[in-house]
Amino acid sequence: QVQLVESGGGLVQAGGSLRVSCAASTRTFRWYAMGWFRQPPGKEREFVASTGRSDGRIYYADSVKGRFTISRDNAKNTVYLQMNSLKPEDTAVYYCAAGPDSRLRGVADWDYWGQGTQVTVSS
């Protein structure tokens, strides 16, 4: 069982930056691919970014490529999402997830989820 706790959400103006973090309570953190998803108001949860277990594979949704950066610190059991050049359409609840493969983008493909953290971008 893996417990995930996100932090770092908040309100930011368009063009600004924010970093969200996700701490995992497991000794086997390095065995999991880690991902970030988001759910905008009234919409379905969608893939944002993912990072592999130890192979260095990183993937991004086209909508965030070049603006967001995912990283992980296996020593701290933590995954981060640095968000730059934020836009109002980035407003959403951001969730981190743990799963078997960073190439997977479906919500159902990921095994463990955090409770989410709200990110609001004002115009």
Side-chain angles (χ1 to χ4, degrees):
Q1 189 74 12
V2 178
Q3 292 185 329
L4 304 172
V5 179
E6 300 96 336
S7 61
L11 174 65
V12 63
Q13 288 187 332
S17 298
L18 202 62
R19 188 178 80 161
V20 291
S21 304
C22 172
S25 62
T26 174
R27 296 180 179 178
T28 58
F29 178 76
R30 63 175 59 84
W31 295 357
Y32 291 92
M34 297 300 297
W36 284 97
F37 290 71
R38 67 186 181 186
Q39 187 163 12
K43 297 184 179 180
E44 294 185 349
R45 196 171 299 188
E46 62 184 18
F47 170 81
V48 174
S50 61
T51 178
R53 293 177 288 180
S54 58
D55 55 11
R57 292 180 178 176
I58 290 178
Y59 301 93
Y60 295 100
D62 289 343
S63 59
V64 307
K65 202 172 293 184
R67 299 188 299 121
F68 290 12
T69 302
I70 188 172
S71 62
R72 66 188 295 165
D73 186 337
N74 287 339
K76 295 182 178 179
N77 286 3
T78 301
V79 61
Y80 306 95
L81 185 68
Q82 176 68 43
M83 302 180 287
N84 299 328
S85 301
L86 282 160
K87 305 175 181 180
E89 50 264 44
D90 294 318
T91 295
V93 177
Y94 283 72
Y95 297 90
C96 74
D101 193 329
S102 59
R103 294 170 293 182
L104 301 174
R105 300 194 176 199
V107 170
D109 296 321
W110 293 75
D111 301 318
Y112 301 100
W113 294 86
Q115 83 289 350
T117 185
Q118 177 70 46
V119 172
T120 302
V121 185
S122 63
S123 58

